[in-house]
Amino acid sequence: MRAVTIKDVAQAAGVSKATASRVLSGHPATSPEARKAVGAAVEHLGFRPNAQARSLRKTRTQTIGLLLPDVRNPFFADLAHAVEQRARDFGYLTLFGNANESVEQQDRYIEVMLSQRVDGVIAAPQGDEENLANLLGSGVPVVFVDRVLDNTDVPSVSPDNVTGIQEAVRHLASQGHRRIGYIAGPQSSSTGRERLTAYREAIAGTGADDAEELIFFGDFQAASGAAGARTLLELADPPTALLAADSLMSIGAIAVCNQRGVAIGSGISFVGYDDIEAFTLLNPALTVIAHDVDAMGRIAVEMLTSVIAGGSPASRVLPSRLIVRGSTPEPSRGQHP
Amino acid sequence: MRAVTIKDVAQAAGVSKATASRVLSGHPATSPEARKAVGAAVEHLGFRPNAQARSLRKTRTQTIGLLLPDVRNPFFADLAHAVEQRARDFGYLTLFGNANESVEQQDRYIEVMLSQRVDGVIAAPQGDEENLANLLGSGVPVVFVDRVLDNTDVPSVSPDNVTGIQEAVRHLASQGHRRIGYIAGPQSSSTGRERLTAYREAIAGTGADDAEELIFFGDFQAASGAAGARTLLELADPPTALLAADSLMSIGAIAVCNQRGVAIGSGISFVGYDDIEAFTLLNPALTVIAHDVDAMGRIAVEMLTSVIAGGSPASRVLPSRLIVRGSTPEPSRGQHP
DNA sequence: CATACTTGTGGAATCGGTTCCATGGAATCG
DNA sequence: CGATTCCATGGAACCGATTCCACAAGTATG
């Protein structure tokens, strides 16, 4: 069962390969008769062009690579979905690479994508420039998403890591909280660093307790969120409010609070990161720092197509905002401040 | 900045293209000198073989397609991750196709995958055989995962849709529940049909109330779970326990219960489907029907490699089991039966 | 009416690898 | 020692599309 080729189509239509190809690619210099004959042959034979052969000849593959740390993280799943949908609009196929939170696997995927000759890459980078040297040195158009690397001039779309945290800290302080625990992300990522700085500045601005013991350093994974909650709850003078720097660490921390019978909303106030669907299930629902993941994915694709076309779009920072729900109630309503 | 080709490598190493190719593909008939020279040239020039050209000549692309309804569903995200990891072990790249719960997009992705000449496809099919005619008629090896299509002899890995539901219904009945509401999946999918049949048989077996009004037909999406919970809670004689046939409908239903102040665990008992991480956050934690998603993904890949190798592996059904947690408490402990 | 410009077409080259086949030299055998 | 086998190698064909180029026929222009 050999696949049908354009040669078979040409033969069946009584024209040359060249003419068949022109008809199929919508070239204007084709006669109505040729169009009709080729169309009929394609239909009859069930011809499906070989994408490999096409992209070998053209230099474009109409494929972009999307390099993510982990699809199982709801934030990245949403991002993947948004990127894929928008890429489709531009006629691009998206090749997902799941680095599985490892720089080695990230490197392997970079190699694969370059071998596949993707037309461009959208990456949420892990590690530093060195880990991405292959990609950055390849000349392939790249756009960073969610995270940024210093010392590079790669265009990026990232969330505003300052405003959301600021609003959250002020919100908690205005409710009388003085000890606000913070489960930080890894300082190797721009996101982790910027959010921590924002937390420190906001704490200083409100005059709340700035003890270093209130900060736990996690790694954006659920387990580290759990570890953070344990550590902070066991302090001699434990925090009355918790703030976590990403969705998975929020999940881990909430699980620990539940296990220990520390009731969220009454026993402790909690602000999570990313407005994922599951957070609305909690009772009370979670106050979160939200940003528009769909927009982030869409814009990343648009920026990449611009880079592919030879442009050099400016990096963008998308707004974050605090969505107040039941997990950070007014002190008068049962919260011990 | 033209890409480095094997011709450049051959030239730099002072050998022919043929020899360079043999060295690169590990052909035994190569001299140590040739290996050394080619190796050095590859290193020096930064050669990266063009996957397009290679798969054009060989008939294999070392790529498999994974066709899923929606990555944003945590169950499918986990499945995607498992498939990708296992495929990697076999030297395959995974091309994700997100059908976005639409048969049109599914069809589009089938076309893309066939054009890309994937070596095989793992699919959680939507619709019926007709919607997959292109794929099934193409001669490309296919394995179904999670869902099954009748009237086809495609090998599949699916969860045991009977045992888990049975255990859940018996568990609830043994706690004294007589009216057990069921939020069913779409009857167009094998999973939806089998789970409903299991529910009906289990209800009959325990002698609980088998009123048709206790069954709501959803579509495996969160919104339909919410609609189901609303409808069932508004019955003149509402159920004292709810059971939902997938994770997203569970999420929707739980959200509605929370909104209405119907406390899960005390106001109503609830059994969810799929043991996703977020469910453990709930307080009380959710009793669920769980199955081993990782195993499902791994086995699907193994079966597909077997089909690619010319075998015809037997379909497999993986066990489900009930994990009892706080959302279905003993009646004596605060549950009104 | 001769020249120039379109228009549709087919032959052939091309993209970057892999692989068949022929060749020459070294090793092995009777 | 001659015949056979083995090994490493290079030339050339090939995979399936696209595209350059030349050409023939038809149309517009001076």
Side-chain angles (χ1 to χ4, degrees):
Chain A
M1 176 150 160
R2 206 177 48 78
V4 179
T5 73
I6 200 170
K7 200 173 152 192
D8 303 324
V9 170
Q11 213 152 32
V15 298
S16 69
K17 273 169 58 182
T19 300
S21 170
R22 276 187 284 255
V23 169
L24 288 169
S25 59
H27 190 101
T30 51
S31 67
E33 303 87 63
R35 283 197 289 272
K36 193 160 160 250
V38 170
V42 165
E43 187 69 26
H44 177 242
L45 297 173
F47 171 69
R48 231 182 302 267
N50 183 321
Q52 252 77 34
R54 168 179 298 164
S55 27
L56 178 59
R57 183 61 233 256
K58 306 187 151 206
T59 327
R60 306 282 219 83
T61 53
Q62 293 299 336
T63 299
I64 63 170
L66 176 61
L67 199 55
L68 297 177
D70 193 352
V71 244
R72 291 173 302 176
N73 180 329
F75 171 74
F76 288 120
D78 285 352
L79 186 61
H81 181 259
V83 165
E84 187 220 11
Q85 291 293 309
R86 191 72 181 119
R88 226 169 57 89
D89 295 342
F90 284 96
Y92 283 106
L93 178 65
T94 303
L95 186 60
F96 287 99
N98 207 70
N100 217 25
E101 301 288 353
S102 122
V103 281
E104 286 76 30
Q105 285 199 40
Q106 174 177 268
D107 205 52
R108 240 189 54 92
Y109 261 114
I110 290 173
E111 285 301 316
V112 167
M113 287 178 179
L114 293 178
S115 269
Q116 293 289 333
R117 300 292 191 266
V118 294
D119 292 342
V121 173
I122 296 177
Q126 292 189 304
D128 53 24
E129 306 89 67
E130 210 171 306
N131 298 301
L132 290 155
N134 281 346
L135 179 60
L136 299 177
S138 70
V140 170
V142 179
V143 165
F144 287 147
V145 74
D146 182 49
R147 306 172 185 182
V148 175
L149 282 195
D150 303 334
N151 314 327
T152 66
D153 54 355
V154 173
S156 61
V157 210
S158 52
D160 172 0
N161 288 311
V162 176
T163 315
I165 297 267
Q166 233 167 37
E167 284 183 38
V169 170
R170 284 187 196 146
H171 169 66
L172 291 169
S174 78
Q175 294 182 334
H177 294 280
R178 308 293 302 164
R179 287 183 67 80
I180 301 172
Y182 182 63
I183 303 178
Q187 298 304 294
S188 57
S189 88
S190 64
T191 311
R193 284 194 302 276
E194 291 179 13
R195 289 180 192 169
L196 177 59
T197 305
Y199 163 82
R200 285 201 163 115
E201 290 180 357
I203 289 286
T206 59
D209 195 339
D210 62 356
E212 276 298 309
E213 64 175 8
L214 287 171
I215 300 173
F216 179 90
F217 290 91
D219 63 2
F220 283 154
Q221 295 286 97
S224 74
R230 264 183 233 112
T231 306
L232 295 173
L233 291 176
E234 282 169 11
L235 288 176
D237 183 8
T240 58
L242 281 182
L243 174 55
D246 94 323
S247 60
L248 290 183
M249 296 195 301
S250 300
I251 287 178
I254 293 167
V256 164
C257 291
N258 282 341
Q259 278 163 24
R260 305 210 160 188
V262 177
I264 288 178
S266 46
I268 197 166
S269 286
F270 199 104
V271 177
Y273 220 101
D274 297 332
D275 192 21
I276 67 180
E277 200 169 18
F279 286 159
T280 60
L281 300 189
L282 298 173
N283 196 359
L286 208 63
T287 294
V288 292
I289 297 169
H291 39 242
D292 189 343
V293 188
D294 268 355
M296 196 144 110
R298 280 201 313 274
I299 291 172
V301 173
E302 288 157 13
M303 280 174 61
L304 186 61
T305 60
S306 157
V307 177
I308 290 173
S312 41
S315 291
R316 292 197 40 192
V317 173
L318 303 184
S320 308
R321 68 184 202 287
L322 187 72
I323 300 182
V324 178
R325 300 206 186 97
S327 70
T328 56
E330 288 301 314
S332 55
R333 305 248 308 270
Q335 167 76 27
H336 85 91
Chain B
M1 173 147 163
R2 205 178 49 80
V4 180
T5 74
I6 200 171
K7 201 172 151 193
D8 303 324
V9 170
Q11 214 151 32
V15 297
S16 70
K17 271 170 59 180
T19 299
S21 171
R22 275 188 284 258
V23 169
L24 289 168
S25 59
H27 189 100
T30 51
S31 68
E33 302 87 62
R35 282 198 289 272
K36 191 159 162 255
V38 171
V42 165
E43 187 67 26
H44 177 240
L45 298 172
F47 171 67
R48 230 182 301 268
N50 183 321
Q52 253 77 33
R54 168 178 297 164
S55 29
L56 179 58
R57 183 60 231 256
K58 306 186 152 207
T59 329
R60 309 279 219 81
T61 53
Q62 293 298 338
T63 298
I64 63 171
L66 176 61
L67 200 54
L68 297 177
D70 193 353
V71 245
R72 289 173 303 175
N73 180 329
F75 171 75
F76 288 120
D78 286 352
L79 186 61
H81 181 259
V83 165
E84 188 221 9
Q85 292 292 308
R86 192 74 181 116
R88 228 169 56 88
D89 295 341
F90 285 96
Y92 282 106
L93 177 65
T94 303
L95 187 60
F96 288 98
N98 206 71
N100 217 24
E101 302 286 353
S102 123
V103 281
E104 287 76 31
Q105 284 198 40
Q106 174 176 266
D107 206 52
R108 240 189 54 95
Y109 261 114
I110 290 173
E111 286 300 317
V112 167
M113 287 178 179
L114 295 177
S115 268
Q116 293 289 334
R117 299 293 192 266
V118 293
D119 292 343
V121 172
I122 295 177
Q126 293 190 301
D128 53 24
E129 306 89 67
E130 210 170 305
N131 297 301
L132 290 154
N134 282 345
L135 179 59
L136 299 177
S138 69
V140 170
V142 179
V143 165
F144 286 148
V145 73
D146 182 49
R147 306 174 185 181
V148 176
L149 282 196
D150 303 335
N151 314 325
T152 66
D153 53 355
V154 173
S156 61
V157 210
S158 52
D160 173 359
N161 288 312
V162 175
T163 315
I165 297 266
Q166 233 168 36
E167 284 183 38
V169 170
R170 285 188 196 144
H171 169 67
L172 292 168
S174 77
Q175 294 183 333
H177 292 280
R178 310 293 302 165
R179 288 182 67 80
I180 301 172
Y182 182 64
I183 302 177
Q187 299 302 295
S188 57
S189 89
S190 63
T191 310
R193 285 193 303 275
E194 291 180 14
R195 289 179 192 169
L196 177 59
T197 306
Y199 163 82
R200 286 201 164 115
E201 290 180 0
I203 289 284
T206 59
D209 194 340
D210 63 354
E212 276 297 310
E213 64 175 8
L214 288 171
I215 300 174
F216 179 89
F217 290 91
D219 63 2
F220 283 153
Q221 295 285 97
S224 74
R230 264 182 234 113
T231 306
L232 295 173
L233 292 176
E234 282 170 10
L235 289 177
D237 182 6
T240 59
L242 281 182
L243 174 55
D246 95 322
S247 59
L248 290 183
M249 296 195 303
S250 300
I251 287 178
I254 292 168
V256 165
C257 290
N258 282 341
Q259 279 162 23
R260 303 210 163 190
V262 178
I264 287 178
S266 46
I268 197 166
S269 287
F270 199 104
V271 177
Y273 221 100
D274 298 335
D275 192 21
I276 65 179
E277 199 169 18
F279 285 160
T280 61
L281 301 188
L282 297 172
N283 195 0
L286 208 64
T287 294
V288 292
I289 298 170
H291 39 243
D292 190 343
V293 188
D294 268 356
M296 194 143 114
R298 280 201 313 274
I299 291 172
V301 173
E302 288 157 14
M303 282 175 63
L304 185 61
T305 61
S306 157
V307 176
I308 290 173
S312 41
S315 291
R316 293 197 40 191
V317 173
L318 303 184
S320 307
R321 69 185 204 288
L322 187 72
I323 300 181
V324 177
R325 300 206 185 97
S327 70
T328 57
E330 287 302 314
S332 54
R333 307 250 305 271
Q335 168 75 28
H336 85 92

